[in-house]
Amino acid sequence: MILLNGKKISNDIKNEITAEVEKMKSREEKVPHLAAIIVGNDGASMTYVNSKVKACERVGFESTLVRMSGTTSEMELLDKIEELNQDDDIDGFIVQLPLPPQIDTQKVLMAVDPDKDVDGFHPTNFGKMSLDMTSFIPATPFGILELLERYDIPTKGKHTVVIGRSHIVGRPMSILMGRSGFPGNSTVTLTHKYTKNITQITSQADIIIIAVGIPHFLKAEMIKDDAVVIDVGITRVSDESTQKGYKIVGDVDFDNVKKKASYLTPVPGGVGPMTIAMLLKNTLLARERHRKREKL
């Protein structure tokens, strides 16, 4: 069994991006600029956003963090988004989710300029992705594709089963694995909480991508020998034997599944680090697109 080391691959990608930024600086070009809006004081969101700011520093990007109070109105947030849409200095920006209850998340995501939507959540980008057109791919699915590519895992003609149908991971992943090209060209089954006989389906899968947020959902008896297993789940469960009093686990029963799988992502250290690396890659792509447009 080979571990798909997202930590290592994400570092490789950050080094490649750093080299690109150095070239931009040597040509006296503008370097990529990523902004993030955070509304309220959600602890997990703050951690995510701070790690994104640090990642920008690491690769030489400019970054802006816009903090707004938890009582911010929908209109105030939409005004701030429009300000970033109009700011030519900013190449891409994200609105950190979840948002407070008084704000309509869908309305907010729709307000982001698709050209700066480095999270890849805008329907314009999602639609283009579905049609195999150039678009921003959501960072987590983009990271999974990158892992499959860099470990040279065959996907053509393989049966891929996706467990979970969220707009952020499951649904885009099912589209991407069925697209023409590599990674892709696989036969995809999308499963969810209403799927009957799920073990019957997963036990036929060559590749399983799971994102359901249920600790240890995927058991060893649910997969066939030598299956490739990508675990997107990340849940904090209490564990008194650890110093922190909890441990981070995925959607896969790692200790037992590793005895049967050919490739497996660890949690933490698998898909997680890839997400931030691909957000940086999307921002670099946004900068390159904007530069080409400026030349016209």
Side-chain angles (χ1 to χ4, degrees), residues 67-83:
R67 293 172 187 263
M68 302 182 81
S69 82
T71 57
T72 297
S73 72
E74 189 178 278
M75 205 61 235
E76 285 170 322
L77 178 54
L78 291 172
D79 285 345
K80 180 54 73 176
I81 287 169
E82 187 51 30
E83 197 182 300

Side-chain angles (χ1 to χ4, degrees), residues 90-107:
I90 287 170
D91 296 297
F93 69 94
I94 61 158
V95 180
Q96 185 64 45
L97 304 179
L99 291 166
Q102 73 272 19
I103 296 172
D104 181 339
T105 300
Q106 202 55 52
K107 197 183 277 188

Side-chain angles (χ1 to χ4, degrees), residues 21-51:
V21 172
E22 287 303 318
K23 284 182 198 165
M24 287 177 171
K25 285 178 180 169
S26 70
R27 295 192 295 259
E28 295 186 345
E29 287 173 14
K30 177 188 174 311
V31 300
H33 187 164
L34 174 68
I37 301 176
I38 183 160
V39 185
N41 295 308
D42 180 76
S45 292
M46 284 305 304
T47 304
Y48 282 135
V49 168
N50 287 334
S51 57

